[in-house]
Structure formats: structure tokens, C-alpha cells
């Protein structure tokens, strides 16, 4: 699907029309059509977030129309507007339209259509066109071919970047949605290589022997029970070789999580192909960082593996080591993600000399109880760095919220038989983050738990059912901020 900017207000040669407006009369005036030519079921008030579909009849032709309410300057909300734009695209796609005209001109009367909002709009158009149906034998390809955008002072550079960001989100969702019998650690590594290499990224993939030789004992303890061996994926974009700053993006890469010997119930295992949502975000973001030629040094790290059951499984009650040198008591084998992440974080510090670290992971079910599916909880050791991360998420219209890290919580991750325990108990989202933080040393570090935001049970707005690509676009914005 292609997007291009147009200055004219003609709606000819299109079978779909999306109009930002305050009421239905604006449509008739804008296109010189009598109001009786707009066939609708109910009154459209033009409130922010309101969407209504109708049919435009002109010259014996029918055109499917979606009205999007923009409200007024006091009540305008970017999040509601982008959601309604997604609903409009999806609604017109159901009507099999091929060419859509999106008229944004009325938007400038209630909002400042700055570069941030333009990028949100253009990326939303790409994101709204995606759905996962790769394995449906009767799947029909999208009929949507082009979207022509009309507006005041729209920027071609914003369009180009917005499209890249939208494609970044879609690629992240694709990786997350792939079934685990196909998206094994090795396959994830191969796809990552094929994805990032054309953009000039350096990528290194380490096998199980190299992982073990590096002393990544915690990561390997999780991985060794599976017939599908682990793969450590390291991607490097050295866009500022003269700079000492190095940002490590660490994504949890559990391509499948059965829970191990602390096995999950079946209902909880069905969606565990998405337990690599953090890895998906990092891989997709690294591709975009290279495509945009961001002048920063960024290293993407994914410790990909499966948490399975065999005679080689690590067990509750075990005490294992880690690349960071700390011993860990295993209270539950289903608290595995943090074990892979601590070795990946240590690798970033020791081997890649990272000066700043962000880890992103579908880590705890407790994250859903904390903030639901609206925002991702964060644990950090550096408020200044957190605020940079927060701004990056806000720019992408995604939300994070910092959790408290009290000394009493830090005591919970300690154990009487080992340095640490992987199951510190409630508050589980916070103690899981603190556990990872034990390996970040004094380096500015932010942990983002996307367990509640990485997956949707049903389509909504710009998202389809399945993976959401949570974090992918914000990580690109974060890389940009590292240039300052």
C-alpha cells in the first residue's frame, strides 16, 4: 500500500473517502454536494474519536465515506484521533476499497499538525492495513492500494519517516504473531539477519557452544532443555563512531515458554508464542535505526531460546550461576525471562561496552494487574534516563509508568542460599525488574515490562488481533535522542 500527499481537493478516481470534520454539513460544503447525497443512519456530531460510515452518491457512482470527528481545540486528543483513523481505514477495507482520499484539512482548525502528529498519522495508516492471516489458505490480500492525503503544510519528510516507523511496527507484530513451531530461535536469528543486513547493520549470531563459552549460565540453563537450540543475536549500528555513548537495546526472546518444569496450564500456554515481543521490538527498531541513518551507537541484543521440558531442564530448587557472577536460587522455572535478560544485559555491558541499557520484555503477568493494557510499567536506576525513555514513548503515542523501587523491595530478591532468587514474590513486576537491575551495575538502565501491552485479544483502532509491536517505534525515537 502506497501513501502520497496531494494538494488538490478532488475526490475523483477514489472509491473511499475519509474526512476529518466537525459535522456532516462540512462534507457537503467541502465537496460542493447537496446534503441529501449523503446517506447516513444517524446524526454525526463530530466529537473527537467519533466515526461514522456512509455512502456518497455522485454522477451515478457510489463512494464509501468515513467521517472522523475532530471535536474542538479544547477536547482534541491525539490518541483518540489516531484510534478513529484506524477504525476508518479498517471499515473502508471491509468495503473492499482500493483508493482512499484522506482529507485532513479540518484537522488544522483544532490541532497543531506538527511533525509529531504527522508521523503518528502516516505510521497509523501503515499499521491499520496489517492483519495476520499468513496461514489461512483462503486469505484474500488487502484491496487497499493507495491513500492520498490532503492537508495544510504536510511535510514529505514526515511522510517518509512515518511510513518507515509504521513498517517497523508491522514487522515487529509479524515476528510476534508467527507460531512457535516455525519461529524457533534459529529461525528468528535468520529472519533478523535477512531483515537488518540490507540496511547495513552488522549482525552476529552465536550458537549454543559460544553462548556457553561466554559464561552465560543463566541464559543457557533456560535454553538447554529444548530440542531447538538457543541463538544469541547481536546487531550493531555504529552511527556515531566518535561518540563514547553506546545504547544497548535488550529484548526478551523466548520464542516459546511452556513454563518449564513449573509448567503453565494449557490456556496460559496458547499465547506464549508472543513471549518474544521484546525481541520483536528490538529487531524491528534496529532495522529502522539503520534505515533512518540515526547518528548514534546502538546495539540490539536478543538472547533467543525456548523454555521447555526434558531431562536437561533446570529445576525448582536449583542454584545456578550467571555471566554477571551472581548465584541464583530457582524458585520457579516459569520465571525464566529475567534469567535470559540478566546475561544479555551483562553481555551488553562487558562485551559491547554499553553506557546506557534498556531491556524490554513480556516479563510478568503482574504487569497486567498493575496497569492493564494501556501502559507498560517501568523499573529504573536513573530518573534522568527514564525521562528520556518516557518522552520517546509519548512521542509514539505509547505509555509507560515508573514503579517505585523501595529498599524493602530490594531485600526481597535476596536469598539465604544464594545471592538472589528468581521468584521474590509480590510486587512481582517490581521485584522482577529489580532482579534484572542487580546486573546493570551503575550504568543508566531502564526495564520495560510490556506483558500487558504487547498483545491484543481483538482488533481495535490501528491494531489488529495479536501482537501490537509495543515498544518498536519508541526505541527508534530513543536512539534519536541519544544523538544529543
Amino acid at each position: 500500500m502506497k501513501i502520497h500527499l496531494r494538494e488538490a481537493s478532488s475526490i475523483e478516481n477514489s472509491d473511499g473517502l475519509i474526512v476529518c470534520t466537525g459535522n456532516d454539513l462540512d462534507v457537503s460544503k467541502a465537496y460542493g454536494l447537496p446534503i441529501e447525497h449523503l446517506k447516513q443512519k444517524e446524526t454525526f456530531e463530530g466529537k473527537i474519536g467519533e466515526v461514522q460510515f456512509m455512502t456518497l452518491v455522485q454522477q451515478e457512482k457510489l463512494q464509501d465515506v468515513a467521517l472522523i470527528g475532530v471535536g474542538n481545540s479544547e477536547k482534541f486528543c491525539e490518541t483518540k484521533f489516531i484510534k478513529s483513523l484506524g477504525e476508518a481505514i479498517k471499515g473502508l477495507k471491509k468495503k473492499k476499497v482500493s483508493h482512499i482520499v484522506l482529507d485532513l484539512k479540518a484537522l488544522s482548525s483544532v490541532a497543531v499538525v506538527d511533525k509529531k502528529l504527522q508521523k503518528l498519522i502516516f505510521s497509523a495508516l501503515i499499521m491499520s492495513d496489517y492483519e495476520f492471516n499468513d496461514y489461512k489458505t483462503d486469505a484474500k490480500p488487502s484491496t487497499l492500494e493507495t491513500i492520498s492525503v490532503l492537508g495544510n503544510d504536510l511535510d514529505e519528510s514526515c511522510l517518509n519517516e512515518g511510513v518507515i516507523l509504521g513498517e517497523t511496527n508491522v514487522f515487529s507484530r509479524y515476528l510476534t504473531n508467527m507460531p512457535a513451531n516455525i519461529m524457533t530461535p534459529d529461525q528468528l536469528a535468520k529472519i533478523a539477519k535477512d531483515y537488518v543486513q540490507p540496511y547495513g547493520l552488522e549482525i552476529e549470531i552465536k550458537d549454543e557452544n559460544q553462548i556457553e563459552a561466554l559464561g552465560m549460565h543463566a541464559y543457557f540453563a533456560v535454553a538447554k532443555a529444548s530440542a531447538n537450540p538457543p541463538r544469541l543475536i547481536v546487531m550493531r549500528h555504529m552511527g556515531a563512531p566518535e561518540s563514547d555513548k553506546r545504547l544497548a537495546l535488550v529484548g526478551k526472546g523466548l520464542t516459546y515458554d511452556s513454563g518449564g518444569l513449573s509448567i503453565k496450564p494449557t490456556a496460559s500456554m496458547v499465547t506464549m508464542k508472543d513471549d518474544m515481543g521484546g525481541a520483536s521490538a528490538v529487531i524491528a527498531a534496529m532495522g529502522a535505526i539503520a534505515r533512518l541513518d540515526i547518528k548514534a551507537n546502538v546495539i540490539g541484543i536478543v538472547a533467543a531460546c525456548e523454555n521447555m521440558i526434558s531431562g536437561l531442564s533446570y529445576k525448582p530448587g536449583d542454584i545456578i550461576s550467571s555471566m554477571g557472577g551472581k548465584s541464583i536460587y530457582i524458585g520457579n522455572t516459569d520465571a525464566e525471562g529475567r534469567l535470559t535478560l540478566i546475561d544479555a544485559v551483562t553481555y551488553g555491558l562487558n562485551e559491547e561496552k554499553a553506557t546506557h541499557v534498556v531491556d524490554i520484555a513480556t516479563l510478568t503477568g503482574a504487569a497486567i494487574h498493575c496497569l492493564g493494557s494501556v501502559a507498560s510499567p517501568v523499573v529504573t536506576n536513573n530518573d534522568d534516563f527514564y525521562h528520556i525513555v518516557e518522552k520517546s514513548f509519548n512521542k509514539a503515542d505509547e505509555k509507560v509508568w515508573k514503579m517505585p523501587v523501595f529498599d524493602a523491595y530490594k531485600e526481597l530478591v535476596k536469598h539465604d542460599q544464594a545471592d538472589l532468587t528468581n521468584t521474590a514474590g509480590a510486587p512481582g513486576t517490581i521485584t522482577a525488574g529489580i532482579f534484572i537491575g542487580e546486573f546493570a551495575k551503575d550504568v543508566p538502565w531502564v526495564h520495560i515490562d510490556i506483558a500487558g501491552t504487547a498483545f491484543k485479544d481483538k482488533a481495535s483502532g490501528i491494531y489488529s488481533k495479536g501482537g501490537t509491536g509495543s515498544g518498536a517505534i519508541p526505541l527508534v525515537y530513543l536512539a534519536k535522542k541519544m544523538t544529543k
Side-chain angles (χ1 to χ4, degrees):
M1 189 263 290
K2 301 293 184 182
I3 305 172
H4 53 265
L5 306 181
R6 275 173 45 181
E7 294 182 0
S9 59
S10 172
I11 58 174
E12 296 177 1
N13 302 318
S14 65
D15 51 357
L17 174 64
I18 302 175
V19 181
C20 301
T21 181
N23 56 63
D24 50 17
L25 291 177
D26 289 345
V27 182
S28 64
K29 291 178 181 178
Y31 298 102
L33 301 166
I35 191 65
E36 58 265 23
H37 284 184
L38 292 172
K39 308 299 183 183
Q40 61 189 63
K41 296 180 179 179
E42 56 189 38
T43 301
F44 180 78
E45 297 181 8
K47 295 178 180 179
I48 183 65
E50 187 178 6
V51 182
Q52 186 183 106
F53 296 95
M54 59 184 67
T55 303
L56 181 65
V57 185
Q58 59 168 331
Q59 298 177 350
E60 299 182 352
K61 290 183 179 180
L62 300 180
Q63 185 174 46
D64 292 303
V65 180
L67 301 182
I68 299 178
V70 295
N72 55 48
S73 57
E74 292 182 358
K75 294 187 177 181
F76 180 77
C77 170
E78 287 181 347
T79 300
K80 289 183 178 180
F81 175 73
I82 294 300
K83 182 178 180 180
S84 65
L85 180 58
E87 297 290 356
I89 294 288
K90 284 182 166 60
L92 293 180
K93 281 184 63 180
K94 289 179 180 178
K95 298 177 182 295
K96 309 298 182 186
V97 301
S98 300
H99 305 284
I100 293 176
V101 171
L102 168 60
D103 191 341
L104 295 173
K105 292 194 293 294
L107 185 62
S108 59
S109 66
V110 299
V112 177
V113 188
D114 56 11
K115 291 185 177 182
K116 174 192 172 186
L117 182 53
Q118 287 187 49
K119 290 174 189 177
L120 282 175
I121 290 169
F122 296 133
S123 61
L125 299 180
I126 298 293
M127 293 162 65
S128 301
D129 191 37
Y130 172 77
E131 57 185 316
F132 182 67
N133 57 11
D134 296 41
Y135 295 95
K136 288 182 69 70
T137 55
D138 60 349
K140 302 293 190 297
S142 172
T143 60
L144 187 54
E145 297 177 15
T146 63
I147 298 180
S148 299
V149 186
L150 314 177
N152 302 319
D153 300 320
L154 297 179
D155 191 319
E156 192 78 35
S157 66
C158 290
L159 170 61
N160 295 335
E161 184 171 331
V163 167
I164 289 174
L165 293 173
E167 291 172 349
T168 297
N169 172 273
V170 165
F171 185 70
S172 177
R173 288 154 72 180
Y174 160 76
L175 293 178
T176 302
N177 287 334
M178 288 292 283
N181 60 316
I182 294 171
M183 191 60 75
T184 61
D186 186 60
Q187 184 64 13
L188 179 63
K190 289 176 179 176
I191 290 177
K193 184 176 182 180
D194 291 342
Y195 179 66
V196 303
Q197 272 194 332
Y199 304 130
L201 273 177
E202 177 187 347
I203 182 168
E204 186 177 356
I205 299 169
K206 297 183 184 295
D207 64 19
E208 60 271 34
N209 295 322
Q210 293 168 301
I211 291 166
E212 195 170 14
L214 281 166
M216 303 181 83
H217 304 299
Y219 169 27
F220 193 68
V222 176
K224 65 184 181 179
S226 176
N228 292 310
R231 292 291 181 264
L232 179 65
I233 307 166
V234 183
M235 300 155 284
R236 303 180 185 93
H237 172 78
M238 308 309 289
E242 73 289 347
S243 173
D244 293 331
K245 284 184 182 178
R246 290 192 172 201
L247 170 65
L249 303 177
V250 180
K252 178 183 172 183
L254 267 291
T255 58
Y256 190 73
D257 177 21
S258 71
L261 288 174
S262 304
I263 193 167
K264 299 174 183 288
T266 300
S268 299
M269 281 196 275
V270 172
T271 57
M272 280 300 102
K273 66 177 186 177
D274 74 342
D275 209 16
M276 37 78 77
S280 300
V282 167
I283 293 168
M286 290 301 297
I289 289 165
R291 291 176 71 181
L292 294 169
D293 193 24
I294 294 174
K295 304 304 180 184
N297 301 320
V298 188
I299 302 99
I301 304 170
V302 172
C305 67
E306 294 180 337
N307 186 24
M308 298 295 285
I309 296 173
S310 76
L312 297 175
S313 295
Y314 74 130
K315 304 172 289 295
D318 282 356
I319 296 177
I320 65 173
S321 186
S322 62
M323 190 179 187
K326 295 180 184 289
S327 61
I328 303 158
Y329 177 87
I330 303 302
N332 188 319
T333 63
D334 196 22
E336 85 299 327
R338 66 203 70 181
L339 300 176
T340 67
L341 287 168
I342 60 173
D343 278 355
V345 167
T346 302
Y347 179 91
L349 296 176
N350 292 358
E351 303 296 320
E352 303 296 334
K353 310 305 179 188
T355 60
H356 298 75
V357 178
V358 170
D359 77 79
I360 182 166
T362 50
L363 201 65
T364 66
I368 303 170
H369 299 293
C370 286
L371 300 175
S373 61
V374 174
S376 300
V378 166
V379 175
T380 183
N381 65 359
N382 187 290
D383 284 347
D384 291 338
F385 187 41
Y386 165 72
H387 289 307
I388 296 172
V389 172
E390 182 184 35
K391 289 178 182 177
S392 301
F393 271 76
N394 288 341
K395 195 169 183 179
D397 199 29
E398 296 186 31
K399 296 176 176 62
V400 292
W401 194 263
K402 187 166 73 75
M403 298 287 104
V405 180
F406 302 129
D407 288 342
Y409 293 157
K410 293 180 181 180
E411 291 298 315
L412 296 177
V413 303
K414 297 178 181 179
H415 197 269
D416 61 346
Q417 297 177 28
D419 296 327
L420 303 168
T421 174
N422 78 327
T423 49
T429 296
I430 296 173
T431 54
I434 290 173
F435 177 87
I436 299 167
E438 287 285 324
F439 296 82
K441 301 179 180 178
D442 295 325
V443 171
W445 156 82
V446 168
H447 159 70
I448 307 166
D449 193 334
I450 57 171
T453 56
F455 200 85
K456 283 194 175 294
D457 293 329
K458 60 181 180 180
S460 175
I462 59 177
Y463 298 107
S464 52
K465 180 180 178 180
T468 65
S470 177
I473 295 175
L475 293 181
V476 180
Y477 282 132
L478 175 61
K480 277 190 165 189
K481 290 184 181 297
M482 296 300 292
T483 63
K484 298 178 181 178

